Amino acid sequence: MQRKVNVWTSIDWLTVTIYLILVIAGWLNIYAAVFDEEHKSILDISQSYGKQLIWIFAAFAIAIIILIIDSEFYSFFAYVVYGLLILLLISVLTMGKEVNGARSWFEIGSLRLQPAEFTKFATNLAVAKYLSTFHLKTYRIRTLIVVGILMIVPVGLIILQNDTGSALVYAAFIFVLYREGLSVGVLIVGFLLAVLFVLTLIASKISVLIGLLILGFLLFGIFRQRLREFIVAISIYVGLTIVLWILNEIFNYKTSMYNIYVASIVLSSIVYIVHIYKKKIAIGFWILGTLFISIGFTFSVDYFFNNVLEQHQQERISELLGVQSDPLGAGYNVNQSKIAIGSGGFFGKGFLQGTQTKYNFVPEQSTDFIFCTVGEEWGFLGTTFVIILFVFFLLRLIMLAERQRSTFSRVYGYGVVAIFFFHIVINIGMTIGLAPVIGIPLPFFSYGGSSLWAFTFLLFIFLRLDASRLELLR
Amino acid sequence: MKSFIEKKIVIGAIIVLIAFIYILRLFYLQVIDTKYKYSADNNVLRYETQYPARGLIYDRYGELMVFNEAAYDLMVIPRQINNLDTLDLCNVLKISIQDFREKLYKAKVYSRYKPSLFVKQLSNEDYAILQEKLHKYSGFFVQTRTLRAYLQKTAAHVLGYVGEVDDKIVSEKPYYKSGDYIGISGIEKSYEEILRGQKGVKIFMVDVHNRIKGSFANGELDTIPIVGKNIHLTISAKLQLLGEKLMNKKTGSIVAIEPSTGEILALVSSPSYDPNLLVGRVRSENYSKLNKDSIKPLFNRALMAKYPPGSIFKIVESLIGLEYGVINPNTGFACNKSLVNCHNHPTATNLTMAIQHSCNPYYFMVYNRIIQQGVSTNRFKDSEIGVARWSKSVKEFGLGQLLDIDLPGMKKGRIPDVDFYNRWYGEGRWAFSTIYSNGIGQGEVEIVPLQMANFTSVIANKGYYYTPHLIKKIENTDTIPSKYLKKNKVNVKPEYFDLVTNAMELVVEAGTARRAKIKDIPVCGKTGTAENPQGEDHSVFIAFAPRENPKIAIAVYVENAGFGGTWAAPIASLMIEQYLTDSISRPDLEKYVIDYK
Ligand SMILES: [Zn+2]
């Protein structure tokens, strides 16, 4: 049974309408953000708003082409598209142009393309294709490993390009996995690890370590309810620490206190394990195991932060966590962003009347920090409107994803939701000081052809799949 | 696992929850919090960059060399100009209306919203008058800056200068904004990030009458500038000054190094210029004057001038010859002037005598043995093998190498290798007979003065050097870059250095450099007279002292001054004496050198 539907009647026009509103609102705000009295015409293509208009028309053309192509194409060629984009990522590393420390751009004449933007929809296609394989169980470790590899390849290449912001987007796929059967525990563990991550960065490694230990002892005490065991356990640990400290002083090894704490954890754990094993205390294993995993995590976060992340990335993360406020660095941008948004008040200063956004973020005013212009010129009314519009957009996409008959279309749909959600949350969050400044664009608003086109690809492939959802079961 | 809530509801709820949190946050920022509401009373915000004082520069004994003086820049924000009495402002600033319009146009082109520099470095008097009337000129304000000032007119090439950033720097380094200063050459460039500190920003609310209504948001969003760190150089200001005096009317260079650390004690390039010429308003005008000057005062000869080393290179050949075992301390060669010309001297029956009398035919033979060791029967091939090995050995001494000194712009010089000659003559078309002049430091060998001084350090240390550097201490830190703490070893046995050192002592005691002798201080040296096809020969001298535990190694190069013993040797001698005894016992010699010709 196979019948072709007419794309133009079965496409979800509501989503298309929201898309159009967002794109046009974005364009007007770019105009306002870089408004220049010398170049008043909004159509002036020497200015970024003029260029953006060209990108917008090109995006419309892309959308139409996507809709014309048969919906089976996307499923059939999912891996091919993925492979091509990976090749592009590799070649941009060697032949790309370096802009602001990131080698992630192809320059063709005056046009700059960023392959990392397009890899998002390609990876989404590949993941959807894989998860829709017949008889596949999402909760199997093997499945997760394959999905992990599908994501690690582009993530690794993007990090090599020095564009960590774009790489972090892939974390959003956890929602897709959750929807496809991963247990709710995954979400919770993810959340807890995030908290521990933040704590490691804010507080010193040593205090996190001590905190974890205390927590471990407390849990042990609560579950076992035996005061004597509890006191003995603590005494073993404290005693070992003191012995190690004295040894260190006597032999003058000059080891840090931190190493002493870790060493006594390891040594005392051996005693505990023996005890737990003898008495067969199941809960003890769980507590000890969790403790070890947490300590390992703390270690690796600390290592990652200090040895892997670049100076500017460290500063950006630290900034959000309030670890340090670098005068004219990242903290300065967020302060200016808050001033711009805050000064907008309830009704805003009016279209083109904003001044803050015009003189503070030269490099990022029309890209990463475009939401400031919305806040300054349109006030609380404007920002709320944009947020509600985005929420409406996302909920509509969830609805569309749920009504798919094929796993492929549903997984792809949730991927679209997850990617958009991540961008929106991080981008708006960073302008109001609630998320780290990791420099990813606000969908449809931020200036730039690559991101607009990539988001158009992402969305319209889904709309195309949705339009023919009744054609056949995949 | 069965969940009692549908997953789509969970995901939807998370989205709505975060949106709700964001809207609450926005409500707080935009409606409740009054901190950001400056525009209600028609106020505007003015961002004043707080420039930190640039770090001071001291010499090795803590004597101040570079400090700061206040300067005042008039800034403008075109958009905030309101009811301006242009004529009045022009009178205060002493500029024409035409000039005023041009400046304002430039500022508008840059940005209507951001402050631009309008008039830089107002005099104190102009600043006083302007301050009185500033409230009438909305959109204009004064920003305090600092300019470099120098206690002595010395060490211009070492210190370098500071100037405004250009568009290229602004686009590459986000820290710098148009109108900021940056170290452009010398130490000011090498240690820019340490010296500059970190800018701060103060945000003021300003009313329509250009009156400051107070700091914005109680200064919570201001950032405090961090003062630049002071640094101490390895230079001795006194020695440097003497060196510049001794090079009076001469062209060339003096480099003095402490061998045991690689610290540069003096780095003179002559002719030089007054560092005050490249400060402030007059900088660009003076710069182009200096740049056009035919004697090239901006050219740092100590690092950039490539010279034939002349006879001092015989020391290198001696050491390499001994190490290769192609000669021994008792090797003698006749002074055969048909090989290469020479002066009259007793026949060199051993190596010491050859160095003492600087015999050219002797080194023709030594170099011959180094290059043609008979490894191959084909003499072209044999020379190729010889040159490859020789070139590698010479480079170990830091010659023909970029030494990683903390000054920008050093040149490599040239120690020719096989590739070079193959490109120069073609493969298989050159042999020892083509390149023998290298043996006496002529030919294709070219060395910069810093390398000569560093090479002298290697002899003084009997086989190693620390990369020459100028940084002694950065305030509030206890270490200097680790690259300056690393020993660079040379593959020559210490006893060969002893032999060469003996000979070099004889050169000063009873050889070609008797003018370098200092009472009670054993000086070891070697003269050189580098042939110059363009004119008079160059005068060269390297030396270190005292013989045991040397404290100073020095290289002096005087262009077109003839025989090395005549000018270069006395200059080095006076420098050594000044550094070791802090006095000069031979004022006549000093006067003779300064008066020159
Ligand atoms: Zn001779």
Side-chain angles (χ1 to χ4, degrees), chain A residues 209-418:
Chain A
L209 202 64
I210 292 172
L212 283 171
L213 272 180
I214 293 173
L215 198 70
F217 283 128
L218 276 181
L219 286 175
F220 196 71
I222 289 166
F223 283 110
R224 287 287 293 168
Q225 302 253 343
R226 286 197 197 151
L227 194 60
R228 209 174 63 90
E229 257 178 27
F230 183 59
I231 290 171
V232 170
I234 290 181
S235 311
I236 291 173
Y237 178 71
V238 174
L240 264 172
T241 310
I242 291 170
V243 169
L244 285 175
W245 180 73
I246 291 171
L247 284 177
N248 183 45
E249 291 296 304
I250 290 172
F251 293 106
N252 205 12
Y253 282 129
K254 297 205 166 72
T255 307
S256 68
M257 271 322 273
Y258 175 74
N259 288 340
I260 294 179
Y261 288 132
V262 174
S264 53
I265 288 175
V266 174
L267 291 177
S268 54
S269 298
I270 297 170
V271 181
Y272 300 150
I273 287 172
V274 171
H275 177 72
I276 289 167
Y277 181 74
K278 273 188 182 162
K279 297 271 168 110
K280 307 224 169 358
I281 310 167
I283 192 75
F285 274 114
W286 282 107
I287 292 172
L288 214 58
T290 313
L291 189 67
F292 269 120
I293 291 170
S294 305
I295 290 168
F297 184 73
T298 307
F299 254 109
S300 45
V301 166
D302 193 73
Y303 178 83
F304 182 75
F305 189 73
N306 289 317
N307 300 301
V308 178
L309 288 186
E310 305 255 334
Q311 183 73 24
H312 69 274
Q313 292 162 336
Q314 282 182 23
E315 278 167 12
R316 280 176 163 197
I317 294 175
S318 306
E319 179 45 41
L320 168 82
L321 304 172
V323 176
Q324 65 189 116
S325 55
D326 189 46
L328 293 175
Y332 181 78
N333 274 358
V334 173
N335 276 348
Q336 301 319 309
S337 170
K338 285 197 266 183
I339 294 175
I341 292 174
S343 69
F346 191 82
F347 295 104
K349 294 176 185 170
F351 188 47
L352 302 184
Q353 300 306 306
T355 53
Q356 286 310 107
T357 47
K358 289 182 181 61
Y359 64 37
N360 291 319
F361 318 106
V362 192
E364 289 157 5
Q365 64 190 4
S366 59
T367 54
D368 295 351
F369 284 90
I370 188 70
F371 195 70
C372 295
T373 309
V374 179
E376 189 180 12
E377 300 198 342
W378 303 98
F380 179 67
L381 284 179
T383 52
T384 309
F385 173 76
V386 170
I387 289 178
I388 289 176
L389 200 60
F390 272 127
V391 168
F392 196 59
F393 176 69
L394 291 173
L395 294 182
R396 179 71 189 166
L397 288 177
I398 291 178
M399 227 193 88
L400 298 189
E402 287 291 340
R403 75 180 184 190
Q404 301 308 310
R405 289 185 180 180
S406 77
T407 311
F408 176 77
S409 304
R410 186 182 64 238
V411 173
Y412 185 83
Y414 266 101
V416 174
V417 172

Side-chain angles (χ1 to χ4, degrees), chain B residues 335 342-343 345 359-361:
Chain B
C335 182
C342 200
H343 53 103
H345 60 84
C359 180
N360 286 340

Side-chain angles (χ1 to χ4, degrees), chain B residues 333-348:
Chain B
F333 292 110
C335 182
N336 179 356
K337 294 195 177 72
S338 66
L339 297 174
V340 49
N341 70 346
C342 200
H343 53 103
N344 290 321
H345 60 84
T347 302

Side-chain angles (χ1 to χ4, degrees), chain B residues 11 13 94 134 170 263 306 370 383 455 521 570:
Chain B
I11 294 174
K94 298 177 189 138
L134 202 58
V170 172
E263 292 178 357
K306 294 175 277 188
I370 290 173
S383 293
F455 161 64
I521 301 173

Side-chain angles (χ1 to χ4, degrees), chain A residues 38 178 336 359 362 425, chain B residues 7 22 25 47 112-114:
Chain A
E38 304 288 320
Y178 166 69
Q336 301 319 309
Y359 64 37
V362 192
V425 167
Chain B
K7 291 194 166 183
Y22 279 20
R25 168 77 171 173
Y47 288 66
R112 286 168 185 273
Y113 300 90
K114 280 186 272 187

